[in-house]
């Protein structure tokens, strides 16, 4: 008989760019452990708790776009996450 922990989990990598990187302490990437069943909404909440300076940005879909495995996550969509996923936090690009 195999016994599994009550809450299985998995690891993802989060890539940070521009102002998101600055708000997280100038780290280029973060490795996070998530519980099974986690999705992009859970990820946003977790990041806001772990990195308070990132909170206002990460909780506002208009101010921070997510890319999951190099595919943009459309505004308003919540996608499931799985082991080995790579999520990029992409703040608005300003320029002239």
């Amino acid at each position: 008989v195999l016994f599994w922990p009550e809450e299985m989990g998995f690891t993802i990598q989060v890539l940070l760019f521009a102002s998101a990187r600055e708000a997280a302490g100038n780290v280029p990437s973060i490795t996070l452990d998530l519980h099974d069943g986690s999705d992009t909404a859970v990820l946003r909440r977790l990041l806001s708790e772990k990195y308070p300076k990132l909170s206002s940005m990460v909780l506002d879909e208009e101010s921070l776009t997510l890319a999951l495995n190099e595919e943009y996550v459309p505004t308003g969509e919540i996608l499931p996450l799985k082991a080995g996923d790579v999520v990029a936090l992409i703040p608005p690009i300003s320029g002239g």
Side-chain angles (χ1 to χ4, degrees), residues 16-23 26 89 91-93:
L16 300 128
F17 297 96
S19 56
R21 180 182 290 188
E22 293 167 19
N26 285 317
L89 306 185
I93 306 296

Side-chain angles (χ1 to χ4, degrees), residues 39-42 44 61-62 64-68 71-81:
D39 56 31
T40 52
V42 169
R44 284 181 182 270
E61 287 190 42
E62 298 298 321
L64 186 88
T65 300
L66 298 182
L68 174 57
E71 297 277 335
Y72 284 112
V73 176
T75 301
E77 281 197 29
I78 297 172
L79 300 179
L81 298 171

Side-chain angles (χ1 to χ4, degrees), residues 19-92:
S19 56
R21 180 182 290 188
E22 293 167 19
N26 285 317
V27 293
S29 67
I30 302 165
T31 300
L32 288 178
D33 294 318
L34 300 175
H35 294 295
D36 279 351
S38 292
D39 56 31
T40 52
V42 169
L43 175 63
R44 284 181 182 270
R45 286 194 304 274
L46 179 62
L47 288 169
S48 74
E49 291 169 12
K50 290 183 73 95
Y51 300 93
K53 290 181 179 177
L54 193 57
S55 183
S56 63
M57 185 185 310
V58 79
L59 292 175
D60 178 4
E61 287 190 42
E62 298 298 321
S63 98
L64 186 88
T65 300
L66 298 182
L68 174 57
N69 299 322
E70 301 182 6
E71 297 277 335
Y72 284 112
V73 176
T75 301
E77 281 197 29
I78 297 172
L79 300 179
L81 298 171
K82 64 185 181 317
D85 278 347
V86 177
V87 177
L89 306 185
I90 306 169

